[in-house]
Every structure is written in C-alpha cells, then in structure tokens.
Amino acid sequence: MYQASATSAKIISKQAPVDYNSIVIAHFSLANSYKSSHNLILAQEHLQKALNYFNDSLSTVEIYKAHIYNSLGVISSELKDIEKSQEYYFEALRLFTKINPEKVINIATIQSNIANNYTNLGDLDQAKIYHNKSINVVELSLIHISEPTRRTPI
C-alpha cells in the first residue's frame, strides 16, 4: 500500500504546472466559436469561466481580462441587457486604458460601443459624448503618428 502511494506522489510531483493562461485562452476561443454560431448563452458561460481564473488569481494577464470584459459587453448588448453590457464595457475600457493606452483602436471601439448602448437606452447626450471621445482618441493618435521626428543638428 505504501509503495502505491509513494509512486502516485512521484507521478503527481513530476506533472507540469497548470498553465491557467492557456485555459483562459481556450475558454475565450470557445466563447468566440459559440458566439459565431449564435449561441450567446454558451459564449457568455465560457467567458465567465475564463473570468473566474482572474477572480481566483490563477491568471494574471490583464490584456486577456480586458478582452473578456469587452466580449461580455458585446454579448450582453446582443442579449439586450444594456446595463450589464455597460458595466462590462466600462471595465474593459478601464483595463485597456491602464494596460496599453497606445492601443487606441481598442479604446475607441469600446467608447463607440458604450455610445451605441447609450443610444439604445435613449440617452443621446451621453451617446454623443462617447462617440466624440472615440473620435478624439483616434484623431490624437493620428496627430502623434504624423508629427515629424525632430532631428538633432550635427
């Protein structure tokens, strides 16, 4: 009996550590597949499962978390749960802005999604504000790209 337990312990200790980030990516990919086949409930479930790895501190790649929140916002919007969608979008916006503010396409897209939700809620003033924020983010990035680099005289 002792021999079997010792052998089992050796096998368990030689296993590679679990790569929770890969599990998160797998759930995210599966959610996208379900969304593509219009099964929004299963897509939402897999995104929530992926998010649980962050809640349990098993996954720490914040950019994955930002994409999960954005996808949950999209799905919630498609399910007509606009208030929940806004919560997800605002969290995705916070994360993308914190993690990678130079990646303006993500930020602008989320701001536009937020604006669309405000339109669906009938709050046209807020919709205009967020559409303008989206436009401004992109325009500011274009200004920075088109600025000539200054050269130091020789």
Side-chain angles (χ1 to χ4, degrees):
M1 185 98 162
Y2 172 76
Q3 183 64 28
S5 296
T7 304
S8 297
K10 285 181 185 177
I11 291 171
I12 291 170
S13 67
K14 290 183 181 181
Q15 289 178 343
V18 177
D19 181 2
Y20 292 104
N21 292 321
S22 292
I23 296 171
V24 166
I25 292 168
H27 278 294
F28 185 81
S29 298
L30 191 54
N32 284 335
S33 295
Y34 281 122
K35 184 181 178 304
S36 294
S37 63
H38 307 288
N39 193 333
L40 301 179
I41 300 302
L42 280 176
Q44 191 176 43
E45 286 176 14
H46 281 281
L47 290 169
Q48 286 293 345
K49 286 179 182 180
L51 199 55
N52 287 339
Y53 286 98
F54 290 96
N55 295 339
D56 295 339
S57 300
L58 298 172
S59 182
T60 57
V61 181
E62 291 283 296
I63 196 76
Y64 297 165
K65 190 176 185 180
H67 283 290
I68 291 166
Y69 273 112
N70 184 57
S71 293
L72 284 165
V74 170
I75 290 170
S76 294
S77 181
E78 289 182 25
L79 290 170
K80 307 298 183 210
D81 189 350
I82 305 302
E83 288 83 8
K84 193 67 174 173
S85 176
Q86 289 295 73
E87 289 176 31
Y88 289 133
Y89 282 143
F90 278 112
E91 182 61 14
L93 181 61
R94 184 190 72 75
L95 289 167
F96 276 120
T97 303
K98 176 183 118 183
I99 298 164
N100 194 358
E102 297 81 31
K103 189 84 173 191
V104 297
I105 192 67
N106 291 333
I107 294 168
T109 299
I110 294 169
Q111 288 171 328
S112 183
N113 290 343
I114 290 169
N116 292 336
N117 277 348
Y118 277 127
T119 299
N120 291 333
L121 291 169
D123 191 342
L124 300 182
D125 291 334
Q126 281 296 100
K128 289 176 191 175
I129 289 169
Y130 276 90
H131 277 304
N132 282 323
K133 285 183 177 190
S134 176
I135 292 166
N136 290 339
V137 164
V138 174
E139 286 178 345
L140 281 173
S141 73
L142 294 175
I143 290 170
H144 291 296
I145 292 171
S146 63
E147 287 180 348
T149 52
R150 295 192 176 156
R151 298 181 184 191
T152 307
I154 300 180

